[in-house]
Amino acid sequence: MAKILVVTSGKGGVGKTTTSAAIGTGLALRGHKTVVVDFDVGLRNLDLIMGCERRVVYDFVNVINGDATLGQALIKDKRLENLYVLAASQTRDKDALTQEGVGKVIDELSQNFEYVICDSPAGIEKGAHLAMYFADEAIVVTNPEVSSVRDSDRMLGLLASKSRRAENGQEPIKEHLLLTRYNPERVNKGEMLGVEDVEEILSIRLLGVIPESQAVLKASNQGIPVILDDQSDAGQAYSDAVDRLLGKEVAHRFLDVKKPGFLQRLFGGRE
Amino acid sequence: MSQAEPDTQAPAFQLKGSMLAITVLELVRNDLDSLDRQLAAKVEQAPDFFNNTPLVLGLDKLPEGGLEVDLQALVELCRKHGLLTLAVRTGQAAYIQAAGHLDIPVLPPSGARERKLDLGGKAPAKPAEPQYRPSRVITTPIRGGQQIYAQGGDLIVIAPVSPGAELLADGNIHVYGPLRGRALAGIKGDTNARIFCQQLAAEMVSIAGHYKVAEDLRREPLWAEAVKIGLTGDVLNITRL
Ligand SMILES: Nc1ncnc2c1ncn2[C@@H]1O[C@H](COP(=O)(O)OP(=O)(O)OP(=O)(O)O)[C@@H](O)[C@H]1O
Ligand SMILES: [Mg+2]
């Protein structure tokens, strides 16, 4: 049985798809058979970032509607033996996904993979709900700014109450915090929240801190998940995060500026 | 085609046997004036009992050969005191006939054992013991958008409370962690309710409807400190814990 991992955030544009591609690729690199599923029906970004957009024939919605089998719809990665993508449909809207249909596909994927990574759309509506509903673990992608932290907090509340595990009274979804687009200089200037601040507000385990990096844009333009750029800071940071996900103890890097105090001003300061 | 027509074959009713516990007013002598006075006294003792209470009139214990009771007057007297006659229990032909005129069913004379009803008039119903209500205890962080209500008691949170979260309690609220959301204690009007928290960073606190919002709270000298919040008159008092 696979581990179902959702990459989610609430807020849009924080780096969920970048993270899904990187973590999925990282797990496959370490020998785990992994599939990354794009839940962002109507937008379809994952296949671009994974560099397989020209090979999409059938998508997630086709499988749910029975127009194609999973075998037909799964796209095998060109670089890695263990990596597959299930693309989202660009032509349908979010209503094409049903809980029953998604459940069936996830179950079938569970039989054949070690990891199922669900790339959630932004928001807390149906698409995001379905992406997280079947999850065993969640990577909550957060940018170091107040609105993103709030949305992540909201999403954490939903993970704890509105998932299959919560509804069945099972052990809750295991939550990981991934802080992305982290810019120590701006934290230093007090323009962004520091790691400790975000950790304190969200009070969940820190999986990793991914620095703001040119390498990410370059990687997505080339359709090569940034984790494969092992010279880049973001690539290395994602690598560390995958190791931690697999239970390794790895020290955090790329945070060099430590600056408590923003939280002080935000919540602790007086007028 | 026949969807709109009622199915005339389907059963329209069910007959069910049932045991009803019912009050019997057993008349021991024919003295309606005394009955009137004595019933009035009973009503005073236990007013709740005499409130359209269904009743069987037991006439089978009346001495044989005495003066016949005016059944209609008896039924009216009972009604006056809040007792509605369902049936008359008797074996005497005269009463059976009278009941028939009044359209009241007749039951055969009693053989079964009956319990004397104690209306407990003396000790007016003891006030119910205040019930022990366990506090509602939450051990995981309460996130924005979540609302937790402790009905009829206290709310104890052993975790942080995020901005956008809302805590409600009929009693007190305790937060062993930073309180960054809203906390409303005593929401049913208990002015003695209090809020305790390890770090006051709330968006709003309220006790029995008297509230302060973050804008005011931030000016408090005890902002970000461990505090207790209580109501004195109309004023929310924030003091160091
Ligand atoms: N660490 C990073 N450094 C620099 N840019 C980044 C980083 N992570 C993500 N980005 C950029 O942010 C933008 C949004 O990223 P991405 O598409 O992964 O976010 P998303 O959360 O999936 O968005 P959506 O909510 O629309 O699905 C992209 O342009 C991406 O290149
Ligand atoms: Mg995305």
Side-chain angles (χ1 to χ4, degrees), chain A residues 150 152-158 160-161 175 200-204 263-271, chain B residues 141-146 160 162-164 178 180 199-201 203 215 218-225:
Chain A
R150 290 230 172 167
S152 294
D153 183 74
R154 184 85 205 271
M155 185 49 76
L156 284 163
L158 298 176
S161 60
E175 301 154 338
E200 201 205 316
I201 301 174
L202 295 180
S203 52
I204 57 171
L263 189 71
Q264 209 70 29
R265 240 168 302 146
L266 195 66
F267 295 116
R270 283 173 214 151
E271 285 184 8
Chain B
I142 304 181
R143 307 293 182 179
Q146 291 188 310
S162 294
R180 302 188 177 113
Q199 190 195 343
L200 175 66
E203 293 170 320
E215 205 169 78
R218 277 167 188 266
R219 296 200 195 97
E220 288 286 335
L222 291 174
W223 178 252
E225 304 287 325

Side-chain angles (χ1 to χ4, degrees), chain A residues 5-182:
Chain A
L5 245 158
V6 62
V7 179
T8 188
S9 69
K11 193 170 160 64
V14 293
K16 292 179 293 295
T17 302
T18 304
T19 298
S20 298
I23 301 274
T25 304
L27 287 168
L29 268 176
R30 285 157 181 74
H32 301 285
K33 196 174 175 197
T34 301
V35 58
V36 190
V37 183
D38 191 348
F39 275 76
D40 208 345
V41 175
L43 289 176
R44 209 183 106 182
N45 271 322
L46 181 73
D47 49 326
L48 279 172
I49 292 183
M50 305 262 305
C52 62
E53 79 279 8
R54 300 210 182 116
R55 291 186 292 132
V56 176
V57 182
Y58 295 110
D59 56 50
F60 195 3
V61 173
N62 291 140
V63 178
I64 285 179
N65 290 347
D67 305 332
T69 63
L70 253 183
Q72 290 172 307
L74 284 173
I75 305 162
K76 193 174 172 311
D77 188 77
K78 270 194 279 202
R79 293 167 288 254
L80 291 170
E81 189 59 31
N82 288 317
L83 186 59
Y84 291 78
V85 172
L86 183 56
S89 168
Q90 218 162 5
T91 53
R92 319 291 181 99
D93 60 47
K94 298 211 194 309
D95 293 334
L97 298 184
T98 60
Q99 182 152 312
E100 200 199 347
V102 171
K104 264 197 204 151
V105 174
I106 297 272
D107 276 351
E108 201 179 333
L109 290 173
S110 286
Q111 313 293 324
N112 299 300
F113 288 90
E114 273 179 83
Y115 286 92
V116 178
I117 313 285
C118 305
D119 178 20
S120 175
I124 54 173
E125 304 305 323
K126 191 176 173 197
H129 173 75
L130 286 175
M132 65 82 157
Y133 184 75
F134 299 95
D136 301 308
E137 300 192 18
I139 296 177
V140 179
V141 180
T142 307
N143 290 166
E145 46 167 273
V146 176
S147 63
S148 174
V149 172
R150 290 230 172 167
D151 287 0
S152 294
D153 183 74
R154 184 85 205 271
M155 185 49 76
L156 284 163
L158 298 176
L159 289 171
S161 60
K162 295 272 157 39
S163 65
R164 176 165 69 174
R165 282 175 169 269
E167 284 174 8
N168 294 347
Q170 290 166 285
E171 212 177 294
I173 292 178
K174 194 168 164 190
E175 301 154 338
H176 308 272
L177 170 63
L178 188 74
L179 203 53
T180 59
R181 312 198 67 162
Y182 194 72

